Amino acid sequence: MSAGEPPAPIPGARLLFSLDPGVSYLNHGSFGAVPIGVQRAQQRLRDEIESNPLRFFAQGLSDRIIHTRRHLAAFLGADPEVSALVPNTTAAASLVLQSVKLEPADEVLLTDHAYGAVAMAARRRCRRAGATVRTVALPMGATDAELVSRVRSALRPGRTKLLIIDQIASATATTFPVREIAAAAHEHEIPVMVDAAHVPGMLLVDVASIGADFWVGNLHKWAFAPRGTALLSVAPEWRRKMEPLVVSWDQEQGFPHAVESQGTLDYTPWLTSPTGLFTLRTLGWEEVRAHNSALAGYGQRVVGEALNVPVAELPRPGDPDLAMRIVPLPAGLATTPPEAQALRQHIADKLAVETAVNAWGGRGLLRLSAQVYNRPEEYDRFAERLPQLLHDYRR
């Protein structure tokens, strides 16, 4: 389906969510949206806990976590024995960074598409070790071959101790050829962490075939899990080196149990996540991917046209199933993170539209998401009203 044709709605899908009908929620990518059935399944677990907390935490919890991990790992093509449930990709990044040995002459290599909190974690880890963080610039619109070449040229064998690469970048909705990039880094024995926060539920993935040393994806964005659910998969040779950020009672069992066992943590998001996958499969995952990518493309086109952005300047999706698209904002708008946040809030307040605005490369970028609860007319209304709002905002 071309970007000129909005997709037909998936019957009944909109009724699965409890989103405010007075708001156009075009920002599924930031925090996801939990279906009502998943919310209720989580509440039943909370009710179970409160009926007898000791029984819940002391009898069979570990087995339930293991069962859930295996279920999620199978969905993602990961080995459950070297994977762990974690709250999110940011927590996983800190876990990985502390597990990689760094000395004063070493460095961690990022790209300029790296998620802000992950970059902050890398800088803190390097600051404590006396190491450095270095960033390689990767232009939007570059071919896979160009991306691999740029990353390969930026590697410093002997000094680069970790490469962190996004599979789908949050700010720019750019996909990266992570399998090929990991292979290039491994030519110099440089470990690779893939930040795949947006991948589960949006793209087909086989984690094992990527060959990364560390891969982590959130299931609360596109796989309908409650927030606080992610899977971290590590290469077998790293298993003994993975230490939890907090020591708890299963410390001696090692990874993944030591990472997953965190005392009175709320485990209900993890244990409910298979219900999210069930919902996704019930809707028809192929149909969901086709719908979301087509609707995101449609939204990008109509909003881009409204802002007089030439079609050639609209960033193309690197994967046909991508459900997030970028529309460059007029020059001078949202060029810094605080300005981007202020504009996002202004759009929400004035237009009742939730979207994402990011500052990247000195340019403001509007990121549009599409999910089964969205409709073409939401993007049409947004396109009609946004130009005047931006005109008034700049005055």
Side-chain angles (χ1 to χ4, degrees):
M1 182 178 294
S2 72
E5 302 176 25
I10 295 177
R14 195 168 193 171
L15 300 176
L16 298 177
F17 297 86
S18 55
L19 291 164
D20 183 349
V23 175
S24 290
Y25 199 77
L26 310 182
N27 191 17
H28 188 89
S30 284
F31 297 102
V34 183
I36 295 170
V38 180
Q39 295 178 40
R40 290 173 176 169
Q42 185 178 16
Q43 186 57 51
R44 286 194 293 272
L45 276 174
R46 287 173 171 157
D47 292 341
E48 178 187 341
I49 294 171
E50 298 311 322
S51 70
N52 191 328
L54 182 60
R55 181 174 58 196
F56 178 86
F57 284 100
Q59 296 181 21
L61 176 59
S62 178
D63 290 340
R64 294 169 84 166
I65 292 173
I66 292 170
H67 174 76
T68 299
R69 183 194 337 128
R70 288 173 177 168
H71 190 98
L72 302 186
F75 174 71
L76 298 170
D79 181 352
E81 300 307 313
V82 286
S83 299
L85 294 167
V86 292
N88 51 46
T89 56
T90 307
S94 290
L95 178 63
V96 169
L97 284 161
Q98 80 158 10
S99 301
V100 174
K101 184 179 180 180
L102 292 175
E103 296 181 350
D106 297 335
E107 68 175 24
V108 173
L109 182 63
L110 307 177
T111 80
D112 57 347
H113 298 254
Y115 187 62
V118 172
M120 291 171 64
R123 289 194 292 269
R124 185 184 72 169
R125 174 72 176 94
C126 286
R127 183 170 62 249
R128 290 176 172 177
T132 59
V133 172
R134 193 161 54 86
T135 302
V136 55
L138 301 177
M140 284 196 293
T143 66
D144 284 357
E146 291 170 338
L147 293 170
V148 174
S149 177
R150 282 178 176 261
V151 173
R152 179 183 279 115
S153 297
L155 298 171
R156 294 177 178 175
R159 291 191 60 185
T160 306
K161 300 301 181 181
L162 179 67
L163 166 65
I164 300 178
I165 185 80
D166 292 86
Q167 192 162 352
I168 303 172
S170 178
T172 63
T174 299
T175 58
F176 293 97
V178 290
R179 181 182 293 104
E180 292 78 5
I181 289 173
H186 289 163
E187 292 173 5
H188 304 290
E189 299 183 347
I190 296 172
V192 177
M193 173 186 157
V194 173
D195 179 343
H198 288 275
V199 170
M202 187 197 295
L203 302 183
L204 287 170
V205 63
D206 182 64
V207 171
S209 70
I210 292 173
D213 301 85
F214 314 97
W215 183 99
V216 59
N218 291 333
L219 286 101
H220 54 248
K221 288 184 179 287
W222 298 92
F224 296 154
R227 280 167 284 277
T229 305
L231 189 80
L232 168 65
S233 182
V234 307
E237 59 268 26
W238 284 95
R239 183 174 188 174
R240 294 181 179 274
K241 301 176 183 178
M242 303 303 294
E243 292 284 348
L245 298 175
V246 177
V247 174
S248 193
W249 288 103
D250 284 339
Q251 174 70 14
E252 299 305 317
Q253 293 191 44
F255 186 86
H257 304 285
V259 169
E260 294 171 334
S261 176
Q262 294 296 314
T264 54
L265 181 74
D266 182 4
Y267 298 98
T268 63
W270 297 356
L271 300 181
T272 311
S273 57
T275 307
L277 294 184
F278 175 80
T279 305
L280 188 62
R281 289 173 172 134
T282 300
L283 288 170
W285 192 25
E286 290 186 6
E287 290 80 1
V288 169
R289 296 201 310 274
H291 172 276
N292 292 350
S293 61
L295 187 55
Y298 175 78
Q300 182 190 44
R301 182 182 68 78
V302 296
V303 174
E305 287 177 352
L307 297 183
N308 297 314
V309 180
V311 174
E313 294 183 17
L314 291 173
R316 298 181 179 180
D319 189 288
D321 287 337
L322 204 67
M324 299 190 302
R325 304 294 170 88
I326 295 298
V327 178
L329 290 168
L333 275 177
T335 60
T336 67
E339 291 176 359
Q341 173 62 18
L343 178 57
R344 185 208 67 78
Q345 188 62 55
H346 187 71
I347 291 171
D349 292 342
K350 298 299 183 180
L351 301 185
V353 175
E354 294 292 355
T355 187
V357 179
N358 295 293
W360 184 83
R363 185 75 181 268
L365 301 178
L366 179 72
R367 192 191 73 193
L368 299 172
S369 296
Q371 188 49 272
V372 295
Y373 50 75
N374 293 126
R375 294 292 183 267
E377 53 267 29
E378 295 181 281
Y379 303 89
D380 294 336
R381 287 195 301 268
F382 186 42
E384 290 172 3
R385 302 173 66 193
L386 182 61
Q388 186 64 50
L389 178 139
L390 295 181
H391 177 269
D392 295 342
Y393 188 74
R394 300 182 71 167
R395 294 172 61 182

